[in-house]
Amino acid sequence: MLFKQQALLRQKLFVLGSLAIGSLLYLVARVGSLDRLQPICPIESRLGPPHLPEQIPLRTLQYKRGLLHEIRKGNATKEQIRLHNLVQQLPRAIIIGVRKGGTRALLEMLNLHPAVVKASQEIHFFDNEQNYARGIDWYREKMPFSFPNQITIEKSPAYFITEEVPERIFKMNSSIKLLIIVREPTTRAVSDYTQVLEGKERKNKTYHKFEKLAIDGNTCEVNIKYKAVRTSIYTKHLERWLKYFPVEQFHIVDGDRLITDPLPELQLVERFLNLPSRISQYNLYFNATRGFYCLRFNIVFNKCLAGSKGRIHPEVDPSVVAKLRKFFHPFNQKFYQITGRTFNWP
Ligand code: A3P
């Protein structure tokens, strides 16, 4: 009996001890991870009104992210929002495209930066007539709460290819920063096709083969009526944007490199946004099961992108791939020339 009691007591002590050690280790690691963050240096005036309040140290922003999270879940009171000076700000940077370029990965990875707050959903304000008619206050209300010296970023890849959007964004903020993430155009077109194909399959519908859509059956030439092909002619779309914004207001992200080695691409974006460099290798780890980099916010919170990102593409007839690559080549050259960024696309 006594032996049984002693064993029980030992078991209890063991559980309590493990809990205490676990908590201690967690606290030490967490403080350690927060200590890595240095005070923020001022975000340049181009990113916001010159009367920005005193910069909040990153450590505070990190801590306050918890509060932002609560607000998103609807758990914060109006009083808390007022007390913490939280606001719904119009975006100071937008990821305007390109669809299937890696827009979600880019947004999520930038959101690792303590001075960046993402709009989780694609808002489709500027490309959707019904939404646009709702006015700018509707758009602002779709934005997440943030601290005044944070920047809000949204992504809606349809903006890049929609005729009316550049003028509309210009009217909202002519000095906004515009991010475009691109991939090798043929791969992007196949990725675009794969997404549509999956949608059809989910609804038990049949769909044409990629080759049939991408090549005109009568002329045997590339079918420029096919949207996935048109979207990949980056220079055509960019030229429309350049009627409103100078080229310096755009930053081109290499979507292929964001897959294989994201950090250098993110550091270039930080620089473009005039943000201090805060995203580090610690925040990104390669997940062999997913075959992609995933995000580590801190010791307890990490995540990979949804399974709909990183689909397996169908095999495409090599002669069609070659035809498409030849077709895109001159457009790519022009794109390199305009943007000053060269890619090794075939
Ligand atoms: P695939 O599904 O063709 O592989 P978007 O978010 O604009 O729709 O882009 C989707 C693409 O993002 C995916 O295309 C995938 O290759 C790419 N991507 C880049 N980084 C990724 C990451 N860390 N996790 C998952 N997908 C990523």
Side-chain angles (χ1 to χ4, degrees):
M1 182 69 179
L2 188 65
F3 180 73
K4 242 187 182 171
Q5 272 177 344
Q6 273 178 346
L8 207 65
L9 193 65
R10 258 204 307 273
Q11 231 173 10
K12 273 186 185 165
L13 280 174
F14 177 75
V15 171
L16 282 174
S18 308
L19 277 175
I21 290 168
S23 310
L24 200 67
L25 281 177
Y26 168 73
L27 280 174
V28 168
R30 195 164 165 74
V31 167
S33 76
L34 291 179
D35 274 350
R36 291 182 314 101
L37 301 169
Q38 300 298 313
I40 198 168
C41 46
I43 297 168
E44 270 196 14
S45 55
R46 273 210 292 162
L47 279 177
H51 56 272
L52 277 182
E54 211 178 287
Q55 297 295 329
I56 304 174
L58 279 184
R59 181 189 300 222
T60 318
L61 285 180
Q62 194 82 349
Y63 157 74
K64 285 182 173 176
R65 272 194 175 222
L67 182 68
L68 293 180
H69 185 65
E70 289 302 306
I71 291 168
R72 264 198 295 278
K73 288 196 304 189
N75 292 344
T77 62
K78 278 198 177 134
E79 186 58 11
Q80 269 176 317
I81 292 171
R82 196 186 58 76
L83 269 178
H84 288 276
N85 212 7
L86 290 167
V87 273
Q88 281 169 298
Q89 307 186 68
L90 289 173
R92 284 191 238 169
I94 303 183
I95 301 170
I96 57 173
V98 180
R99 176 181 152 96
K100 305 322 292 172
T103 53
R104 173 56 61 186
L106 179 61
L107 182 71
E108 297 294 331
M109 287 174 181
L110 288 178
N111 192 50
L112 288 162
H113 197 293
V116 170
V117 180
K118 63 161 185 179
S120 294
Q121 306 295 322
E122 289 181 10
I123 317 273
H124 289 283
F125 176 61
F126 297 103
D127 64 305
N128 178 302
E129 293 308 316
Q130 229 178 354
N131 288 344
Y132 193 63
R134 291 178 162 130
I136 202 80
D137 287 335
W138 178 88
Y139 185 48
R140 195 195 312 270
E141 277 163 26
K142 292 278 165 209
M143 294 301 151
F145 279 95
S146 60
F147 300 101
N149 52 355
Q150 287 181 309
I151 65 166
T152 303
I153 301 188
E154 83 125 325
K155 76 117 180 162
S156 294
Y159 290 168
F160 186 58
I161 57 160
T162 310
E163 195 87 22
E164 300 80 8
V165 174
E167 185 181 357
R168 289 175 177 178
I169 294 188
F170 182 83
K171 279 185 185 156
M172 175 187 74
N173 178 359
S174 61
S175 59
I176 196 157
K177 304 225 170 189
L178 301 163
L179 293 160
I180 305 174
I181 179 163
V182 290
R183 275 163 92 188
E184 189 276 306
T186 303
T187 311
R188 196 221 63 83
V190 176
S191 172
D192 198 329
Y193 166 83
T194 311
Q195 171 156 317
V196 178
L197 176 71
E198 194 184 282
K200 300 271 182 199
E201 282 174 352
R202 223 180 300 124
K203 291 179 194 154
N204 281 327
K205 286 187 179 166
T206 53
Y207 195 42
H208 302 292
K209 285 192 79 177
F210 176 78
E211 290 83 344
K212 194 166 184 323
L213 295 166
I215 304 294
D216 183 325
N218 296 321
T219 63
C220 284
E221 295 301 324
V222 169
N223 177 14
I224 50 167
K225 287 195 190 126
Y226 178 39
K227 198 173 165 197
V229 166
R230 277 207 319 274
T231 303
S232 283
I233 309 177
Y234 305 139
T235 182
K236 285 273 173 234
H237 302 287
L238 184 61
E239 279 165 22
R240 271 186 305 101
W241 284 84
L242 289 171
K243 289 184 191 145
Y244 293 89
F245 298 97
V247 74
E248 301 77 49
Q249 248 166 274
F250 296 85
H251 176 75
I252 311 297
V253 179
D254 182 342
D256 295 309
R257 191 152 79 131
L258 196 84
I259 297 174
T260 54
D261 187 16
L263 188 59
E265 283 303 314
L266 296 170
Q267 286 170 334
L268 290 175
V269 180
E270 287 179 323
R271 208 176 309 156
F272 172 69
L273 297 177
N274 293 320
L275 294 173
S277 176
R278 287 293 177 272
I279 303 171
S280 71
Q281 205 60 65
Y282 170 85
N283 300 121
L284 301 156
Y285 66 96
F286 188 76
N287 182 314
T289 319
R290 285 285 280 118
F292 284 98
Y293 275 88
C294 295
L295 286 62
R296 182 187 287 121
F297 286 82
N298 52 43
I299 193 160
V300 277
F301 182 52
N302 51 47
K303 70 167 186 182
C304 298
L305 263 60
S308 59
K309 304 292 173 186
R311 296 183 177 101
I312 295 169
H313 297 180
E315 274 206 26
V316 177
D317 184 328
S319 69
V320 171
V321 170
K323 198 168 254 188
L324 281 165
R325 289 193 165 149
K326 195 164 165 222
F327 169 81
F328 287 125
H329 190 262
F331 297 114
N332 296 343
Q333 296 302 314
K334 191 128 187 248
F335 185 69
Y336 303 160
Q337 209 178 21
I338 296 174
T339 60
R341 208 170 170 182
T342 303
F343 300 97
N344 291 324
W345 297 334

PDB file of all heavy atoms in Angstrom, residues 98-105 109 183 191 258-259 290 292-293 305 308-311 313, ligand 1:
ATOM      1  N   VAL A  98       1.729  38.434 -60.054  1.00  0.00           N
ATOM      2  CA  VAL A  98       0.877  37.872 -61.057  1.00  0.00           C
ATOM      3  C   VAL A  98       0.258  36.589 -60.499  1.00  0.00           C
ATOM      4  O   VAL A  98       0.923  35.847 -59.759  1.00  0.00           O
ATOM      5  CB  VAL A  98       1.710  37.537 -62.320  1.00  0.00           C
ATOM      6  CG1 VAL A  98       0.835  36.923 -63.409  1.00  0.00           C
ATOM      7  CG2 VAL A  98       2.390  38.784 -62.855  1.00  0.00           C
ATOM      8  N   ARG A  99      -0.965  36.323 -60.868  1.00  0.00           N
ATOM      9  CA  ARG A  99      -1.626  35.076 -60.473  1.00  0.00           C
ATOM     10  C   ARG A  99      -0.696  33.878 -60.703  1.00  0.00           C
ATOM     11  O   ARG A  99      -0.060  33.771 -61.757  1.00  0.00           O
ATOM     12  CB  ARG A  99      -2.880  34.964 -61.355  1.00  0.00           C
ATOM     13  CG  ARG A  99      -3.693  33.720 -61.224  1.00  0.00           C
ATOM     14  CD  ARG A  99      -4.848  33.841 -62.221  1.00  0.00           C
ATOM     15  NE  ARG A  99      -5.308  32.545 -62.665  1.00  0.00           N
ATOM     16  CZ  ARG A  99      -6.334  31.887 -62.135  1.00  0.00           C
ATOM     17  NH1 ARG A  99      -7.012  32.422 -61.167  1.00  0.00           N
ATOM     18  NH2 ARG A  99      -6.697  30.709 -62.594  1.00  0.00           N
ATOM     19  N   LYS A 100      -0.599  33.024 -59.717  1.00  0.00           N
ATOM     20  CA  LYS A 100       0.251  31.831 -59.704  1.00  0.00           C
ATOM     21  C   LYS A 100       1.757  32.144 -59.706  1.00  0.00           C
ATOM     22  O   LYS A 100       2.587  31.260 -59.921  1.00  0.00           O
ATOM     23  CB  LYS A 100      -0.055  30.865 -60.867  1.00  0.00           C
ATOM     24  CG  LYS A 100      -1.482  30.403 -60.995  1.00  0.00           C
ATOM     25  CD  LYS A 100      -2.174  30.135 -59.699  1.00  0.00           C
ATOM     26  CE  LYS A 100      -1.655  28.960 -58.946  1.00  0.00           C
ATOM     27  NZ  LYS A 100      -2.284  28.893 -57.591  1.00  0.00           N
ATOM     28  N   GLY A 101       2.068  33.397 -59.435  1.00  0.00           N
ATOM     29  CA  GLY A 101       3.483  33.756 -59.375  1.00  0.00           C
ATOM     30  C   GLY A 101       4.089  33.444 -58.009  1.00  0.00           C
ATOM     31  O   GLY A 101       5.311  33.440 -57.837  1.00  0.00           O
ATOM     32  N   GLY A 102       3.195  33.218 -57.012  1.00  0.00           N
ATOM     33  CA  GLY A 102       3.671  33.032 -55.637  1.00  0.00           C
ATOM     34  C   GLY A 102       3.193  34.186 -54.766  1.00  0.00           C
ATOM     35  O   GLY A 102       3.819  34.542 -53.766  1.00  0.00           O
ATOM     36  N   THR A 103       2.053  34.755 -55.146  1.00  0.00           N
ATOM     37  CA  THR A 103       1.544  35.950 -54.446  1.00  0.00           C
ATOM     38  C   THR A 103       1.212  35.651 -52.980  1.00  0.00           C
ATOM     39  O   THR A 103       1.488  36.465 -52.107  1.00  0.00           O
ATOM     40  CB  THR A 103       0.295  36.505 -55.165  1.00  0.00           C
ATOM     41  OG1 THR A 103      -0.660  35.453 -55.328  1.00  0.00           O
ATOM     42  CG2 THR A 103       0.632  37.058 -56.535  1.00  0.00           C
ATOM     43  N   ARG A 104       0.634  34.477 -52.718  1.00  0.00           N
ATOM     44  CA  ARG A 104       0.275  34.151 -51.334  1.00  0.00           C
ATOM     45  C   ARG A 104       1.540  33.951 -50.490  1.00  0.00           C
ATOM     46  O   ARG A 104       1.633  34.469 -49.375  1.00  0.00           O
ATOM     47  CB  ARG A 104      -0.612  32.890 -51.312  1.00  0.00           C
ATOM     48  CG  ARG A 104      -0.944  32.319 -49.956  1.00  0.00           C
ATOM     49  CD  ARG A 104      -1.611  33.291 -49.006  1.00  0.00           C
ATOM     50  NE  ARG A 104      -2.894  33.811 -49.482  1.00  0.00           N
ATOM     51  CZ  ARG A 104      -3.594  34.758 -48.859  1.00  0.00           C
ATOM     52  NH1 ARG A 104      -3.147  35.303 -47.732  1.00  0.00           N
ATOM     53  NH2 ARG A 104      -4.744  35.189 -49.365  1.00  0.00           N
ATOM     54  N   ALA A 105       2.496  33.221 -51.055  1.00  0.00           N
ATOM     55  CA  ALA A 105       3.738  32.984 -50.307  1.00  0.00           C
ATOM     56  C   ALA A 105       4.417  34.310 -49.994  1.00  0.00           C
ATOM     57  O   ALA A 105       4.887  34.537 -48.874  1.00  0.00           O
ATOM     58  CB  ALA A 105       4.672  32.084 -51.114  1.00  0.00           C
ATOM     59  N   MET A 109       5.013  35.649 -46.240  1.00  0.00           N
ATOM     60  CA  MET A 109       6.405  35.791 -45.795  1.00  0.00           C
ATOM     61  C   MET A 109       6.688  37.228 -45.372  1.00  0.00           C
ATOM     62  O   MET A 109       7.399  37.470 -44.401  1.00  0.00           O
ATOM     63  CB  MET A 109       7.365  35.342 -46.894  1.00  0.00           C
ATOM     64  CG  MET A 109       7.375  33.829 -47.063  1.00  0.00           C
ATOM     65  SD  MET A 109       8.379  33.313 -48.465  1.00  0.00           S
ATOM     66  CE  MET A 109       8.171  31.530 -48.410  1.00  0.00           C
ATOM     67  N   ARG A 183       6.958  34.379 -62.446  1.00  0.00           N
ATOM     68  CA  ARG A 183       7.673  33.100 -62.631  1.00  0.00           C
ATOM     69  C   ARG A 183       7.920  32.929 -64.116  1.00  0.00           C
ATOM     70  O   ARG A 183       7.331  33.627 -64.937  1.00  0.00           O
ATOM     71  CB  ARG A 183       6.801  31.938 -62.146  1.00  0.00           C
ATOM     72  CG  ARG A 183       6.924  31.677 -60.668  1.00  0.00           C
ATOM     73  CD  ARG A 183       5.762  30.824 -60.237  1.00  0.00           C
ATOM     74  NE  ARG A 183       6.052  29.400 -60.290  1.00  0.00           N
ATOM     75  CZ  ARG A 183       5.100  28.492 -60.107  1.00  0.00           C
ATOM     76  NH1 ARG A 183       3.847  28.836 -59.906  1.00  0.00           N
ATOM     77  NH2 ARG A 183       5.417  27.205 -60.125  1.00  0.00           N
ATOM     78  N   SER A 191       0.751  26.376 -64.387  1.00  0.00           N
ATOM     79  CA  SER A 191       0.246  26.430 -63.014  1.00  0.00           C
ATOM     80  C   SER A 191      -1.177  26.996 -62.987  1.00  0.00           C
ATOM     81  O   SER A 191      -2.053  26.487 -62.272  1.00  0.00           O
ATOM     82  CB  SER A 191       1.185  27.314 -62.178  1.00  0.00           C
ATOM     83  OG  SER A 191       0.640  27.543 -60.910  1.00  0.00           O
ATOM     84  N   LEU A 258      11.812  32.630 -55.041  1.00  0.00           N
ATOM     85  CA  LEU A 258      11.084  32.635 -53.766  1.00  0.00           C
ATOM     86  C   LEU A 258      10.777  31.199 -53.327  1.00  0.00           C
ATOM     87  O   LEU A 258      10.674  30.903 -52.154  1.00  0.00           O
ATOM     88  CB  LEU A 258       9.783  33.441 -53.871  1.00  0.00           C
ATOM     89  CG  LEU A 258       9.183  33.797 -52.508  1.00  0.00           C
ATOM     90  CD1 LEU A 258       9.825  35.064 -51.945  1.00  0.00           C
ATOM     91  CD2 LEU A 258       7.680  33.965 -52.561  1.00  0.00           C
ATOM     92  N   ILE A 259      10.653  30.311 -54.305  1.00  0.00           N
ATOM     93  CA  ILE A 259      10.404  28.898 -53.981  1.00  0.00           C
ATOM     94  C   ILE A 259      11.680  28.239 -53.447  1.00  0.00           C
ATOM     95  O   ILE A 259      11.663  27.571 -52.420  1.00  0.00           O
ATOM     96  CB  ILE A 259       9.908  28.128 -55.242  1.00  0.00           C
ATOM     97  CG1 ILE A 259       8.567  28.686 -55.713  1.00  0.00           C
ATOM     98  CG2 ILE A 259       9.807  26.626 -54.963  1.00  0.00           C
ATOM     99  CD1 ILE A 259       8.059  28.099 -57.030  1.00  0.00           C
ATOM    100  N   ARG A 290       6.430  18.863 -47.611  1.00  0.00           N
ATOM    101  CA  ARG A 290       5.708  19.779 -48.495  1.00  0.00           C
ATOM    102  C   ARG A 290       6.524  20.101 -49.753  1.00  0.00           C
ATOM    103  O   ARG A 290       5.986  20.449 -50.785  1.00  0.00           O
ATOM    104  CB  ARG A 290       5.401  21.097 -47.760  1.00  0.00           C
ATOM    105  CG  ARG A 290       4.298  21.041 -46.764  1.00  0.00           C
ATOM    106  CD  ARG A 290       2.915  21.012 -47.435  1.00  0.00           C
ATOM    107  NE  ARG A 290       2.468  22.327 -47.872  1.00  0.00           N
ATOM    108  CZ  ARG A 290       2.219  22.666 -49.126  1.00  0.00           C
ATOM    109  NH1 ARG A 290       2.361  21.801 -50.091  1.00  0.00           N
ATOM    110  NH2 ARG A 290       1.805  23.864 -49.451  1.00  0.00           N
ATOM    111  N   PHE A 292       8.473  22.661 -49.826  1.00  0.00           N
ATOM    112  CA  PHE A 292       8.523  24.121 -49.883  1.00  0.00           C
ATOM    113  C   PHE A 292       9.021  24.684 -48.566  1.00  0.00           C
ATOM    114  O   PHE A 292       9.003  23.993 -47.545  1.00  0.00           O
ATOM    115  CB  PHE A 292       7.107  24.689 -50.127  1.00  0.00           C
ATOM    116  CG  PHE A 292       6.643  24.541 -51.541  1.00  0.00           C
ATOM    117  CD1 PHE A 292       5.814  23.492 -51.913  1.00  0.00           C
ATOM    118  CD2 PHE A 292       7.039  25.442 -52.508  1.00  0.00           C
ATOM    119  CE1 PHE A 292       5.389  23.344 -53.230  1.00  0.00           C
ATOM    120  CE2 PHE A 292       6.623  25.308 -53.831  1.00  0.00           C
ATOM    121  CZ  PHE A 292       5.799  24.263 -54.189  1.00  0.00           C
ATOM    122  N   TYR A 293       9.396  25.947 -48.605  1.00  0.00           N
ATOM    123  CA  TYR A 293       9.726  26.634 -47.359  1.00  0.00           C
ATOM    124  C   TYR A 293       8.440  26.938 -46.599  1.00  0.00           C
ATOM    125  O   TYR A 293       7.404  27.234 -47.203  1.00  0.00           O
ATOM    126  CB  TYR A 293      10.479  27.940 -47.636  1.00  0.00           C
ATOM    127  CG  TYR A 293      11.962  27.699 -47.806  1.00  0.00           C
ATOM    128  CD1 TYR A 293      12.488  27.378 -49.056  1.00  0.00           C
ATOM    129  CD2 TYR A 293      12.823  27.739 -46.711  1.00  0.00           C
ATOM    130  CE1 TYR A 293      13.840  27.120 -49.215  1.00  0.00           C
ATOM    131  CE2 TYR A 293      14.176  27.490 -46.854  1.00  0.00           C
ATOM    132  CZ  TYR A 293      14.678  27.174 -48.110  1.00  0.00           C
ATOM    133  OH  TYR A 293      16.015  26.919 -48.254  1.00  0.00           O
ATOM    134  N   LEU A 305       2.098  26.887 -46.204  1.00  0.00           N
ATOM    135  CA  LEU A 305       0.965  27.349 -47.001  1.00  0.00           C
ATOM    136  C   LEU A 305      -0.009  26.192 -47.230  1.00  0.00           C
ATOM    137  O   LEU A 305       0.373  25.028 -47.118  1.00  0.00           O
ATOM    138  CB  LEU A 305       1.462  27.906 -48.344  1.00  0.00           C
ATOM    139  CG  LEU A 305       1.623  29.432 -48.401  1.00  0.00           C
ATOM    140  CD1 LEU A 305       2.606  29.936 -47.376  1.00  0.00           C
ATOM    141  CD2 LEU A 305       2.063  29.876 -49.780  1.00  0.00           C
ATOM    142  N   SER A 308      -3.290  23.833 -51.534  1.00  0.00           N
ATOM    143  CA  SER A 308      -3.613  24.306 -52.890  1.00  0.00           C
ATOM    144  C   SER A 308      -2.435  25.074 -53.499  1.00  0.00           C
ATOM    145  O   SER A 308      -2.475  25.445 -54.670  1.00  0.00           O
ATOM    146  CB  SER A 308      -4.848  25.204 -52.848  1.00  0.00           C
ATOM    147  OG  SER A 308      -4.600  26.307 -52.007  1.00  0.00           O
ATOM    148  N   LYS A 309      -1.413  25.328 -52.687  1.00  0.00           N
ATOM    149  CA  LYS A 309      -0.207  25.981 -53.212  1.00  0.00           C
ATOM    150  C   LYS A 309       0.856  24.908 -53.379  1.00  0.00           C
ATOM    151  O   LYS A 309       1.179  24.197 -52.416  1.00  0.00           O
ATOM    152  CB  LYS A 309       0.303  27.065 -52.259  1.00  0.00           C
ATOM    153  CG  LYS A 309      -0.747  28.129 -51.923  1.00  0.00           C
ATOM    154  CD  LYS A 309      -1.093  28.971 -53.119  1.00  0.00           C
ATOM    155  CE  LYS A 309      -2.252  29.901 -52.810  1.00  0.00           C
ATOM    156  NZ  LYS A 309      -2.723  30.639 -53.977  1.00  0.00           N
ATOM    157  N   GLY A 310       1.365  24.795 -54.576  1.00  0.00           N
ATOM    158  CA  GLY A 310       2.368  23.772 -54.829  1.00  0.00           C
ATOM    159  C   GLY A 310       1.752  22.505 -55.386  1.00  0.00           C
ATOM    160  O   GLY A 310       2.100  21.403 -54.966  1.00  0.00           O
ATOM    161  N   ARG A 311       0.845  22.674 -56.331  1.00  0.00           N
ATOM    162  CA  ARG A 311       0.203  21.496 -56.950  1.00  0.00           C
ATOM    163  C   ARG A 311       1.178  20.810 -57.913  1.00  0.00           C
ATOM    164  O   ARG A 311       2.087  21.457 -58.437  1.00  0.00           O
ATOM    165  CB  ARG A 311      -1.017  21.930 -57.767  1.00  0.00           C
ATOM    166  CG  ARG A 311      -2.123  22.543 -56.957  1.00  0.00           C
ATOM    167  CD  ARG A 311      -3.293  22.859 -57.871  1.00  0.00           C
ATOM    168  NE  ARG A 311      -4.413  23.391 -57.109  1.00  0.00           N
ATOM    169  CZ  ARG A 311      -4.700  24.683 -57.039  1.00  0.00           C
ATOM    170  NH1 ARG A 311      -3.984  25.559 -57.681  1.00  0.00           N
ATOM    171  NH2 ARG A 311      -5.726  25.102 -56.315  1.00  0.00           N
ATOM    172  N   HIS A 313       1.959  19.669 -61.430  1.00  0.00           N
ATOM    173  CA  HIS A 313       1.486  20.073 -62.762  1.00  0.00           C
ATOM    174  C   HIS A 313       1.363  18.853 -63.676  1.00  0.00           C
ATOM    175  O   HIS A 313       2.165  17.928 -63.575  1.00  0.00           O
ATOM    176  CB  HIS A 313       2.475  21.053 -63.404  1.00  0.00           C
ATOM    177  CG  HIS A 313       2.618  22.339 -62.649  1.00  0.00           C
ATOM    178  ND1 HIS A 313       3.444  23.354 -63.055  1.00  0.00           N
ATOM    179  CD2 HIS A 313       2.027  22.796 -61.519  1.00  0.00           C
ATOM    180  CE1 HIS A 313       3.365  24.368 -62.210  1.00  0.00           C
ATOM    181  NE2 HIS A 313       2.523  24.046 -61.265  1.00  0.00           N
TER     182      HIS A 313
HETATM  183  P1  A3P B   1       2.204  25.833 -58.042  1.00  0.00           P
HETATM  184  O1  A3P B   1       0.940  25.416 -57.397  1.00  0.00           O
HETATM  185  O2  A3P B   1       2.142  25.880 -59.503  1.00  0.00           O
HETATM  186  O3  A3P B   1       3.402  25.069 -57.560  1.00  0.00           O
HETATM  187  P2  A3P B   1      -0.179  32.077 -55.989  1.00  0.00           P
HETATM  188  O4  A3P B   1      -0.138  32.195 -54.494  1.00  0.00           O
HETATM  189  O5  A3P B   1       0.116  33.369 -56.663  1.00  0.00           O
HETATM  190  O6  A3P B   1      -1.414  31.398 -56.456  1.00  0.00           O
HETATM  191  O7  A3P B   1       1.039  31.148 -56.403  1.00  0.00           O
HETATM  192  C1  A3P B   1       1.049  29.778 -56.135  1.00  0.00           C
HETATM  193  C2  A3P B   1       2.458  29.282 -56.295  1.00  0.00           C
HETATM  194  O8  A3P B   1       3.257  29.726 -55.203  1.00  0.00           O
HETATM  195  C3  A3P B   1       2.575  27.788 -56.269  1.00  0.00           C
HETATM  196  O9  A3P B   1       2.479  27.361 -57.615  1.00  0.00           O
HETATM  197  C4  A3P B   1       3.952  27.538 -55.634  1.00  0.00           C
HETATM  198  O10 A3P B   1       4.885  26.971 -56.529  1.00  0.00           O
HETATM  199  C5  A3P B   1       4.425  28.917 -55.242  1.00  0.00           C
HETATM  200  N1  A3P B   1       5.080  29.005 -53.941  1.00  0.00           N
HETATM  201  C6  A3P B   1       6.130  29.805 -53.680  1.00  0.00           C
HETATM  202  N2  A3P B   1       6.558  29.642 -52.444  1.00  0.00           N
HETATM  203  C7  A3P B   1       5.765  28.720 -51.875  1.00  0.00           C
HETATM  204  C8  A3P B   1       5.720  28.142 -50.568  1.00  0.00           C
HETATM  205  N3  A3P B   1       6.601  28.487 -49.636  1.00  0.00           N
HETATM  206  N4  A3P B   1       4.768  27.217 -50.309  1.00  0.00           N
HETATM  207  C9  A3P B   1       3.892  26.857 -51.276  1.00  0.00           C
HETATM  208  N5  A3P B   1       3.868  27.381 -52.529  1.00  0.00           N
HETATM  209  C10 A3P B   1       4.808  28.305 -52.820  1.00  0.00           C
END
